[in-house]
Amino acid sequence: GDSVTQMEGPVTLSEEAFLTINCTYTATGYPSLFWYVQYPGEGLQLLLKATKADDKGSNKGFEATYRKETTSFHLEKGSVQVSDSAVYFCALTPNDYKLSFGAGTTVTVRA
Amino acid sequence: GAVVSQHPSWVICKSGTSVKIECRSLDFQATTMFWYRQFPKQSLMLMATSNEGSKATYEQGVEKDKFLINHASLTLSTLTVTSAHPEDSSFYICSARDLGWGAGEETQYFGPGTRLLVL
């Protein structure tokens, strides 16, 4: 079945550091790919998405590119802030909107 | 943006009792809602798909008689944990599917979750 493998955390960074969270997937066909973020005490929020190969999703300084050849959707941000501290989930759906999530990566940014 | 609420946010109950969790889409209609379960420091596991006006579709391994789902309106789905036991203690999260304004605009919005503790 469809699955998502996500870089294990926790990840601790200093402010203004570069963040990368690796995500690879296994799926039949052409799934849509997502990054969700869960801030402390809040529900999951969609951070960005890409629906086809070579699409780049971006939001709040975060970017991820749908790479079909490597079945990857790595999340990057060039300069993190303390407010980026959260749990990040990579997810996919084969377009029936049933999401399969990765394990989540906890990111802590220190001032 | 769209908001999905859950009630209650946390609940403690005795073993053997039933607990109902509500999921509401506050500013859009959702024909489809999803129920997830999240264990500590683990990912979300899809339990079931809730369809307005029809029976829910359960994922493999999820007991439909234990986790009763009712999607009686376009803005409300409920999950009832029947005869709860300590192993049902978990964080339950719902999401609602917003069709948006056209193709490619569909988005899932997640509720803040309900923490259930069964004693």
Side-chain angles (χ1 to χ4, degrees):
Chain A
D2 298 341
S3 66
V4 176
T5 302
Q6 189 174 338
M7 172 178 143
E8 286 191 25
V11 174
T12 303
L13 303 164
S14 298
E15 260 192 324
E16 300 183 5
F18 186 87
L19 170 67
T20 298
I21 304 176
N22 290 339
C23 172
T24 57
Y25 67 91
T26 302
T28 54
Y30 303 93
S32 294
L33 303 174
F34 305 83
W35 277 100
Y36 281 85
V37 58
Q38 187 176 31
Y39 297 104
E42 299 183 17
L44 272 75
Q45 301 174 27
L46 177 64
L47 181 59
L48 53 84
K49 68 178 182 181
T51 58
K52 60 183 187 295
D54 299 325
D55 268 3
K56 177 186 285 187
S58 61
N59 185 25
K60 299 182 180 180
F62 289 89
E63 292 184 341
T65 301
Y66 190 144
R67 302 285 189 199
K68 192 173 188 306
E69 64 275 15
T70 54
T71 61
S72 65
F73 193 54
H74 305 321
L75 182 69
E76 298 181 336
K77 184 171 185 180
S79 177
V80 294
Q81 305 300 312
V82 173
S83 57
D84 294 323
S85 298
V87 183
Y88 293 83
F89 292 93
C90 186
L92 69 80
T93 177
N95 297 322
D96 61 358
Y97 276 80
K98 292 168 64 172
L99 287 163
S100 295
F101 285 89
T105 303
T106 300
V107 174
T108 302
V109 180
R110 293 183 174 167
Chain B
V3 176
V4 174
S5 69
Q6 279 184 245
H7 178 79
S9 56
W10 60 271
V11 57
I12 301 173
C13 69
K14 293 182 179 180
S15 186
T17 61
S18 295
V19 174
K20 180 185 285 188
I21 302 170
E22 293 185 349
C23 176
R24 293 182 185 273
S25 57
L26 298 185
D27 53 3
F28 66 99
Q29 294 182 332
T31 55
T32 305
M33 293 183 174
F34 300 92
W35 286 96
Y36 297 85
R37 186 171 177 176
Q38 185 179 27
F39 292 99
K41 302 195 180 204
Q42 294 188 32
S43 188
L44 284 75
M45 179 193 77
L46 178 65
M47 299 175 64
T49 302
S50 171
N51 300 298
E52 187 268 336
S54 65
K55 291 183 178 180
T57 306
Y58 291 82
E59 296 301 301
Q60 191 173 10
V62 178
E63 299 177 60
K64 62 180 181 181
D65 294 330
K66 175 123 185 107
F67 299 100
L68 299 179
I69 291 172
N70 186 349
H71 194 152
S73 78
L74 288 172
T75 59
L76 173 64
S77 175
T78 60
L79 169 69
T80 301
V81 184
T82 62
S83 187
H85 289 95
E87 58 266 28
D88 298 324
S89 299
S90 192
F91 194 53
Y92 293 87
I93 301 171
C94 74
S95 70
R97 180 181 173 193
D98 182 1
L99 296 178
W101 295 101
E105 296 299 316
E106 297 186 39
T107 303
Q108 272 192 54
Y109 294 97
F110 284 79
T114 297
R115 190 163 301 283
L116 170 63
L117 176 61
V118 184
L119 301 177

